[in-house]
Amino acid sequence: MKRLICIPAIVAILFLTSYSCGNKKARKNTAQTTEQAAVSTEPKWTSIFNGKDLTGWTIKIPGHELGENFGNTLRVEDSILKIRYDAYGSEFKDRFGTVYFDKYLTNYRLKVVYRFVGETAPGAPTWGYRDSGIQFHGQPPVTQKIDQAFPVCLEYNFHGGNGTDERPLGAACTNGMFIEYNGEKNTTTCIAADIARTFHGDQWVTAEIEIKNGVIAHFVNGKKILTYSNPTYNPANEMAKKLMDGDDTKVKGGYVSLQSNSHPIDFKSIELIEF
């Protein structure tokens, strides 16, 4: 006996199948659109060192006018920013230099790839051995006095190992400022990183700082090693007091700079994301 198939039933089945496939396709398209939107709004790194010269940066070396590159201390060779002291003679004379990025910054992430090379400059202090750093939330370059060794700032300190001893990098150091670490105001100039990492030899190291609404984190080779917060100016520091907004000690932003601290160092890349 032949079965009769109801035409309306067939139509209903085709409709439901079409509707279901359409729904799945619509959901897939919506998911793809959402994913594409997320990718397009993801912050992207911008290089702030062009690999050719120091356009966009300003040099300050104690005893010399702003912009004067004494002894060709900072030079760009082979697409690398190099800091050298071959023109300093036998006495370093505390000429701790600074090279500022020419933009006031507030919330951002900065990444540099660096390595220590060679020997410490003759006449430099012993602590200058494989020592440098990223300075940030710094005073405007034009306000740095001609004989001022270091700007009012915070610092992500770089240390390099001597091949034997542990010499961790990543400490948070302060000059003319205070910070809060584990909820308490610092009482020492530097606070060591929570995770100690020492890098020996002339290997490349990636260091990053991230600043978001007063919370600051240090990273090395992608791993977070220290977090602290709420930087404030020290009113007892003459220069810091000039940077305050009336009686408000809160540090809202500042300038990023790299240290010329008496040991040769190379910077292969310097990148920035602003939030």
Side-chain angles (χ1 to χ4, degrees):
M1 179 179 178
K2 294 183 178 179
R3 292 185 177 180
L4 296 177
I5 300 176
C6 179
I7 297 301
I10 295 175
V11 172
I13 291 170
L14 291 174
F15 174 77
L16 289 173
T17 303
S18 174
Y19 179 79
S20 176
C21 291
N23 259 2
K24 287 179 181 178
K25 186 175 181 180
R27 286 197 297 269
K28 184 177 180 180
N29 289 341
T30 301
Q32 287 177 339
T33 302
T34 303
E35 184 178 346
Q36 288 170 354
V39 170
S40 64
T41 57
E42 188 74 21
K44 294 182 179 180
W45 290 105
T46 299
S47 177
I48 57 174
F49 165 56
N50 64 21
K52 300 175 182 179
D53 54 35
L54 288 173
T55 298
W57 295 79
T58 299
I59 298 167
K60 179 65 184 77
I61 297 173
H64 299 271
E65 295 293 338
L66 185 68
E68 182 182 347
N69 190 8
F70 167 75
N72 196 27
T73 302
L74 292 108
R75 59 194 76 166
V76 180
E77 298 173 346
D78 304 320
S79 301
I80 292 173
L81 170 56
K82 300 181 178 182
I83 298 179
R84 300 293 188 267
Y85 306 97
D86 44 83
Y88 279 52
S90 60
E91 291 296 329
F92 184 69
K93 296 182 180 178
D94 293 340
R95 287 174 286 205
F96 302 106
T98 300
V99 57
Y100 289 93
F101 178 54
D102 296 335
K103 185 178 181 180
Y104 180 93
L105 299 171
T106 52
N107 293 297
Y108 57 95
R109 185 161 178 147
L110 180 79
K111 175 168 63 176
V112 306
V113 179
Y114 76 94
R115 68 179 177 186
F116 286 108
V117 296
E119 302 296 328
T120 312
T126 55
W127 60 259
Y129 173 79
R130 292 186 176 249
D131 184 281
S132 186
I134 303 170
Q135 298 171 148
F136 58 100
H137 277 353
Q139 68 185 87
V142 294
T143 66
Q144 190 166 339
K145 296 179 179 179
I146 192 166
D147 59 349
Q148 186 179 339
F150 301 100
V152 171
C153 65
L154 301 178
E155 178 197 348
Y156 177 142
N157 181 249
F158 297 166
H159 274 167
N162 58 16
T164 304
D165 304 312
E166 292 302 306
R167 202 162 180 264
L169 86 167
C173 299
T174 63
N175 183 38
M177 294 184 186
F178 295 112
I179 55 176
E180 291 182 6
Y181 172 68
N182 288 338
E184 296 183 359
K185 183 181 291 187
N186 66 301
T187 56
T188 58
T189 300
C190 294
I191 296 172
D194 292 329
I195 299 175
R197 295 290 307 276
T198 296
F199 296 91
H200 299 286
D202 298 352
Q203 62 181 301
W204 291 104
V205 179
T206 301
E208 297 176 66
I209 55 172
E210 182 176 275
I211 303 172
K212 283 187 176 181
N213 301 319
V215 178
I216 303 168
H218 292 188
F219 299 79
V220 62
N221 291 350
K223 185 177 182 63
K224 185 185 294 187
I225 57 173
L226 180 64
T227 303
Y228 52 98
S229 61
N230 300 328
T232 55
Y233 291 114
N234 177 3
N237 181 291
E238 179 186 356
M239 180 58 71
K241 188 171 179 61
K242 292 179 180 179
L243 300 173
M244 290 168 48
D245 182 9
D247 293 329
D248 184 5
T249 62
K250 184 176 180 180
V251 179
K252 301 176 180 67
Y255 290 82
V256 164
S257 59
L258 304 174
Q259 288 184 333
S260 168
N261 253 13
S262 76
H263 196 106
I265 188 171
D266 292 339
F267 292 91
K268 182 164 62 174
S269 65
I270 310 169
E271 296 178 285
L272 176 72
I273 292 175
E274 293 189 73
F275 302 122

